[in-house]
Amino acid sequence: MNSKDLGPLSHTEAAIGVFDSGLGGLTVLKELKLRLPQERYIYLGDTARTPYGSKGRETIIRFARECSEFLFDWGIKMLVVACNTASSYAIEALRAESPIPILGTIDAAARQALQVTRTGKIGVIGTDATIASRAFEKALQRDGFKHALHSKACPLFVPLVEQGMCEGEIVEKIVELYLSDFRRADLDTLILGCTHYPLLKNVIQEFLGAEVRIVECSAALAEEAGSLLPEYVLSKTSPLKKDRLFITDDTPKFESMAAFILGSSKLSVERAMLGEGARP
Amino acid sequence: MNSKDLGPLSHTEAAIGVFDSGLGGLTVLKELKLRLPQERYIYLGDTARTPYGSKGRETIIRFARECSEFLFDWGIKMLVVACNTASSYAIEALRAESPIPILGTIDAAARQALQVTRTGKIGVIGTDATIASRAFEKALQRDGFKHALHSKACPLFVPLVEQGMCEGEIVEKIVELYLSDFRRADLDTLILGCTHYPLLKNVIQEFLGAEVRIVECSAALAEEAGSLLPEYVLSKTSPLKKDRLFITDDTPKFESMAAFILGSSKLSVERAMLGEGARP
């Protein structure tokens, strides 16, 4: 079953597809399940090729396309790109090829930042690739933002989170290394432009001060998905079918980290081969 | 032209193939070129899927096999696995499938460590996957080592090096985090079980003290390759053909980092697609 054959309005019982380069996108899945608990989800983490944030544009687009094709083959009714790097480079290419709604992290977070800022002093942090793409800057400008955006790539944040290092002296030193300019610039709003970064939120908030408003992509994206579904008459699914979690690597630690992030102990993680295998 | 058709002794003018998950293996290529300057080299860095060290066994073996097949298709006469993670998991599988000599980092470094140790107090550091494989322990025991090996995974070292952070307070703190146990254990020899780690050697040596002998895989491996070539009657090649450098990603920064590591400004880096494309 391929969603392209069916069209987006014909299968309200179909699942919502979500992909990320690894496990960061599970923070998005968690928010989606909180806001849209009646939906069924198919999650794909491309853990064999993670991270995306240090890779080049063409490679990121190719990987995002392969992840999307895997999920399209499950007949999904909506695709959520739960990875800022993939959203930055590949969302237009994916939309051009698909009749179903495709949501990315960038637009939703940019809109929320504009809602909460009082002074217009907005900053964004992300991977090397996300920051180099200037995707947040373009999204903010499309929504009427006239100020200069403060942006900073924080390439050590993902390895820290993946090692489970979310606090302590080393994390504080690295936060200081990356965010000192932001403190001097007197920001009032900071976008966490990577789905791993919410796990460092406490240290970041402590360093910048309680008055800085922090925008997380996952919450903004889940809100947008919730508002979009009724418009597409897609919001009711069969509660009998279970969610599925796929990864492309064979690392067993993903299961325990997914259980931790999603707050559920009854997870079964399956293996996906992109381009072949693992069809519904 | 495929090396499997020709056999290992029939083409002394063929190149030596070298692969790594990314750019760490260039430290091995540099040593090889120093010791065997008359040889021609084809290097493959699987930068699109780097790093390997946090991935699972099956994935590592699959990636190593794809890298090897790419190099076999160039008719190489010897394969050097310049990645400790791939050497740890995949070397036996690769040897079982190939008639040409295949050298990995583990055995050479283990032998050198046994030559330089005076007290038998040897330590090894590497990626999560390399340390979990216990490959160094097995190699040392095969060579008669009877002591307990001190081993420690240092998963933040590769991201630090890839960010160009090879000294300073943050690097010192992370070295202290990983190596405090080693200092207490009074090691006399430390194996750097990852081809990125030589770039952190100064900070590591400073922390452990000048009396600790540090074994680098790249030097040990190049020495082994040099001693093996005459045995296979392979050591003379045409000086007219140039080396080739391939990567699987499209990141332009690889070129400048390769030039830095190899000490050459006349490098041209080509793009490889594994499983297809880029044939000689």
Side-chain angles (χ1 to χ4, degrees), chain A residues 109-181:
Chain A
R111 267 196 286 277
Q112 197 166 89
L114 288 175
Q115 280 163 18
V116 302
T117 186
R118 290 154 299 185
T119 64
K121 290 188 176 168
I122 301 176
V124 63
I125 54 177
T127 64
D128 277 326
T130 296
I131 296 304
S133 75
R134 300 183 63 233
F136 278 102
E137 211 154 349
K138 293 172 200 163
L140 286 164
Q141 286 166 355
R142 269 197 304 273
D143 288 339
F145 183 65
K146 304 280 189 217
H147 303 263
L149 177 67
H150 300 262
S151 63
K152 181 82 180 174
C154 304
L156 287 173
F157 280 179
V158 170
L160 284 175
V161 169
E162 293 199 341
Q163 291 311 314
M165 287 174 65
C166 298
E167 56 182 22
E169 191 188 357
I170 289 170
V171 175
E172 287 164 16
K173 290 276 176 207
I174 294 174
V175 165
E176 185 185 344
L177 173 76
Y178 288 140
L179 300 187
S180 289
D181 287 350

Side-chain angles (χ1 to χ4, degrees), chain A residues 12-26:
Chain A
T12 58
E13 301 203 351
I16 295 176
V18 182
F19 82 85
D20 178 44
S21 63
L23 61 85
L26 292 170

Side-chain angles (χ1 to χ4, degrees), chain A:
Chain A
M1 187 170 70
N2 189 306
S3 64
K4 292 173 194 168
D5 306 327
L6 295 172
L9 301 180
S10 59
H11 49 300
T12 58
E13 301 203 351
I16 295 176
V18 182
F19 82 85
D20 178 44
S21 63
L23 61 85
L26 292 170
T27 61
V28 174
L29 179 61
K30 186 185 179 177
E31 287 288 332
L32 285 167
K33 286 169 72 72
L34 277 173
R35 280 167 201 261
L36 305 168
Q38 78 282 16
E39 298 291 335
R40 189 167 76 93
Y41 299 91
I42 299 175
Y43 182 90
L44 172 64
D46 190 7
T47 49
R49 305 189 292 196
T50 197
Y52 286 3
S54 55
K55 315 250 157 106
R57 174 190 166 82
E58 270 181 60
T59 301
I60 294 162
I61 293 174
R62 178 162 58 90
F63 289 176
R65 204 171 254 147
E66 288 174 10
C67 289
S68 304
E69 280 162 7
F70 175 86
L71 292 167
F72 288 155
D73 280 344
W74 285 87
I76 55 168
K77 63 186 177 185
M78 175 185 272
L79 176 66
V80 175
V81 182
C83 169
N84 282 274
T85 302
S87 293
S88 297
Y89 286 97
I91 202 105
E92 294 309 322
L94 297 179
R95 281 185 182 142
E97 292 160 10
S98 165
I100 63 166
I102 298 186
L103 298 188
T105 48
I106 309 290
D107 292 346
R111 267 196 286 277
Q112 197 166 89
L114 288 175
Q115 280 163 18
V116 302
T117 186
R118 290 154 299 185
T119 64
K121 290 188 176 168
I122 301 176
V124 63
I125 54 177
T127 64
D128 277 326
T130 296
I131 296 304
S133 75
R134 300 183 63 233
F136 278 102
E137 211 154 349
K138 293 172 200 163
L140 286 164
Q141 286 166 355
R142 269 197 304 273
D143 288 339
F145 183 65
K146 304 280 189 217
H147 303 263
L149 177 67
H150 300 262
S151 63
K152 181 82 180 174
C154 304
L156 287 173
F157 280 179
V158 170
L160 284 175
V161 169
E162 293 199 341
Q163 291 311 314
M165 287 174 65
C166 298
E167 56 182 22
E169 191 188 357
I170 289 170
V171 175
E172 287 164 16
K173 290 276 176 207
I174 294 174
V175 165
E176 185 185 344
L177 173 76
Y178 288 140
L179 300 187
S180 289
D181 287 350
F182 281 6
R183 194 154 66 176
R184 279 192 291 274
D186 199 25
L187 291 189
D188 90 325
T189 300
L190 177 70
I191 302 171
L192 303 186
C194 173
T195 47
H196 281 76
Y197 295 1
L199 295 159
L200 298 171
K201 187 177 170 184
N202 291 346
V203 181
I204 292 169
Q205 186 86 68
E206 175 85 12
F207 181 76
L208 291 179
E211 67 284 4
V212 173
R213 293 161 183 220
I214 290 182
V215 172
E216 296 180 40
C217 293
S218 51
L221 185 56
E223 199 167 307
E224 187 160 290
S227 68
L228 198 64
L229 277 180
E231 194 180 320
Y232 281 81
V233 204
L234 296 175
S235 60
K236 204 142 185 64
T237 68
S238 159
L240 292 174
K241 290 185 185 168
K242 281 172 60 185
D243 295 345
R244 308 278 291 258
L245 289 182
F246 292 92
I247 56 174
T248 54
D249 190 17
D250 54 311
T251 45
K253 73 176 174 182
F254 185 90
E255 203 152 320
S256 58
M257 298 190 76
F260 171 73
I261 293 174
L262 296 174
S264 161
S265 58
K266 295 172 298 181
L267 288 175
S268 155
V269 179
E270 298 166 79
R271 178 81 175 278
M273 291 293 284
L274 297 189
E276 48 174 316
R279 291 288 144 83

Side-chain angles (χ1 to χ4, degrees), chain B residues 88-105:
Chain B
S88 297
Y89 286 97
I91 202 105
E92 295 308 324
L94 298 179
R95 281 185 182 143
E97 291 160 11
S98 164
I100 63 167
I102 298 185
L103 298 188
T105 48

